[in-house]
Amino acid sequence: MTQQLRGIAALILVVLVWGTTFPAMKDLTATFSPVWIILTRFALAVLILSPFLWRAQRSDLRSGVLLGLVLFFCYLFQVEGLALTSSNRNAFITGLNVLVVPLLGILGGRLPERRIVFALVLAVAGLAALCWDGGAWGSGDTLALLGAFCFGAYVKIMEIRTRTARRLLSVTAAQIGTVAVCAAVWLLLREVPRGVGVLEDANNYWRYIGGNLAAYWPNFAYLGVVCTAAIISLQVWGQSRTTANEAAVIYAFEPGAAAFFGYFWLGEAMTARGWLGAALLISGMIVSQWNTESRPAAALAPE
């Protein structure tokens, strides 16, 4: 097997594992707030990737902090949306982030290429079919769409920052650590009981969190260790051995993988109309990303 085929196989495995994160996080939203899920997942991941912060260049750390701030809001919208809609629908809407970067170009006064217009038509038709299949557009879908826009901005910033990065894994570790810190601050300011007369509430709160963290530690270990730390390393290795087109096409099937695992994990089924919408969305993603070899490979990462 050639190095290129090994890289393609690695990225297929990456997409399959990424597909499991949607039902895995959806499963946890019944017990934990979205920010607790984000904090625990990324805190575990940064512990594993912390060696890459040792002697990291300041420029890499600055890039990681900036990316981490944007990534925190990506996941905040995504997981908040997961609590209000199905995991497969959330995954397909989140996948629209690949169309955000071309749309940002339109706002900047640049006319879109014909393939982008065609991709948008496919994506809108796909969304219409999904909504026809799974019910009217709801607040969970709006949050997922906000997450998609944040992911699009994140990809654009990453594209710029990775061109000057000294060590990509240092940037990755810094951004994962920043997400964990942002989640901790958010919890302290908005969720953790505080003030006079809330001691009993605080004790009950921490007993609830501690008991459920102990009960769901395999889920968090899987999300933090496997889906974040290990898969990011495999992704970097795989993308270094494939072209941008190959990576983009493989990544476009992440929502399909999420729908597949959502069926077996959560019992979420899709009708023929839903799968038609999914196929149209995936086609739009592939069309939007085709013929873009000039981008850095790291800029293609949906995660």
Side-chain angles (χ1 to χ4, degrees), residues 125 139 156 176 182 194 200-201 219 234 247 267 284 288 290:
S139 57
K156 186 62 179 177
I176 287 175
C182 287
R194 61 191 184 278
E200 186 60 33
D201 288 340
N219 302 56
L234 184 62
S288 72
W290 196 251

Side-chain angles (χ1 to χ4, degrees), residues 123-192:
V124 171
L127 276 180
L130 275 178
C131 290
W132 185 19
D133 172 64
W137 188 273
S139 57
D141 301 320
T142 301
L143 288 168
L145 188 60
L146 287 172
F149 274 97
C150 287
F151 271 115
Y154 167 78
V155 168
K156 186 62 179 177
I157 296 170
M158 180 182 281
E159 181 179 349
I160 296 168
R161 291 287 177 164
T162 51
R163 288 172 180 165
T164 57
R166 298 292 185 88
R167 190 166 58 166
L168 283 176
L169 281 175
S170 293
V171 177
T172 299
Q175 67 175 301
I176 287 175
T178 301
V179 173
V181 170
C182 287
V185 171
W186 185 281
L187 284 172
L188 289 173
L189 294 177
R190 298 180 59 89
E191 185 173 325
V192 176

